[in-house]
Amino acid sequence: MSPLEIFSVIISVIGVALTIKRSMWCWLFNFLAFILYAYLFYEYKLYGETILQFLFIMVNFYGFYQWLKGKQQDHEIRIEPIAIKLVVGQMILAAVGGFVFGWSLHHFTDAALPWLDSQLAAFSLLATYWTSRKHIATWVLWVFVDIIYVGMFIHKDLFLTAGLYAAFVAMAAFGWWQWTQVKQKQQLKLST
């Protein structure tokens, strides 16, 4: 447990908490967390996670822009629906992308867990994209992805980060509940 890991955990928790609250500040804290974790994961030869952090940075800018220009209701970010067909298609695309990425890591690097790392990276990227689009489905996906991350980080002796991802499971479940409540309120206001 290094000071870098401790600081990364703190910044990450703040970023996710602000995302649940639909605060624009979430994008700044998440950006800092991505930079910190890119360095930490590189040290632990989790190259898929390292590359993912850089992809997160790009999606972070996209998300900030989407939320900034997005539809608001009562000065809050309005949650947007997503079609089941789109969910399924994007999940298949993430799985295929994760496989290709895993194959590359397996054959061209000394990655510690190339197949698992790559699939988690692909689905994390999809969940982050869904967050930028303000879809409640993001929280459902995060619950499942974060549960698997906990095991991977325990396996790599990143116990504090495993604890962080266990907290992320609870935070994602809460985010799911919170956004569902907000969505219902927003729908009621639109129908009146």
Side-chain angles (χ1 to χ4, degrees):
M1 190 176 336
S2 68
L4 174 62
E5 187 180 12
I6 293 168
F7 187 60
S8 300
V9 165
I10 293 167
I11 296 299
S12 295
V13 167
I14 293 169
V16 172
L18 290 170
T19 303
I20 291 170
K21 303 280 293 163
R22 297 172 329 281
S23 168
M24 290 296 291
W25 285 101
C26 73
W27 300 105
L28 174 64
F29 280 90
N30 290 332
F31 175 77
L32 293 173
F34 301 149
I35 291 171
L36 294 168
Y37 266 109
Y39 183 75
L40 182 71
F41 290 146
Y42 181 78
E43 287 185 335
Y44 280 81
K45 295 186 178 186
L46 292 170
Y47 302 131
E49 296 309 309
T50 304
I51 293 168
L52 177 63
Q53 300 311 304
F54 291 107
L55 294 173
F56 276 166
I57 290 169
M58 290 188 299
V59 175
N60 196 66
F61 287 117
Y62 173 76
F64 175 77
Y65 172 75
Q66 285 295 113
W67 281 33
L68 191 62
K69 78 168 186 86
K71 299 173 187 170
Q72 294 193 8
Q73 187 172 326
D74 296 332
H75 304 290
E76 291 186 336
I77 301 300
R78 191 173 94 188
I79 297 165
E80 301 292 340
I82 185 170
I84 296 296
K85 191 182 227 182
L86 191 58
V87 168
V88 172
Q90 290 177 352
M91 290 188 75
I92 290 170
L93 186 63
V96 170
F99 177 80
V100 170
F101 186 38
W103 184 88
S104 300
L105 289 176
H106 178 73
H107 290 287
F108 300 113
T109 73
D110 63 343
L113 301 167
W115 298 105
L116 179 61
D117 192 12
S118 63
Q119 285 298 323
L120 288 172
F123 281 98
S124 294
L125 192 57
L126 177 58
T128 302
Y129 173 71
W130 284 351
T131 300
S132 72
R133 303 297 298 169
K134 303 170 290 280
H135 299 311
I136 290 174
T138 190
W139 297 113
V140 179
L141 185 53
W142 277 125
V143 166
F144 290 103
V145 168
D146 288 342
I147 288 169
I148 299 168
Y149 267 126
V150 170
M152 184 178 79
F153 291 134
I154 288 171
H155 176 75
K156 291 301 294 175
D157 297 328
L158 289 166
F159 298 112
L160 189 57
T161 299
L164 169 66
Y165 277 74
F168 280 170
V169 171
M171 293 176 84
F174 179 73
W176 183 3
W177 176 82
Q178 175 73 18
W179 280 33
T180 301
Q181 300 301 309
V182 169
K183 178 77 173 164
Q184 290 171 354
K185 288 178 188 173
Q186 289 175 349
Q187 287 173 334
L188 278 175
K189 288 181 183 178
L190 287 174
S191 65
T192 56

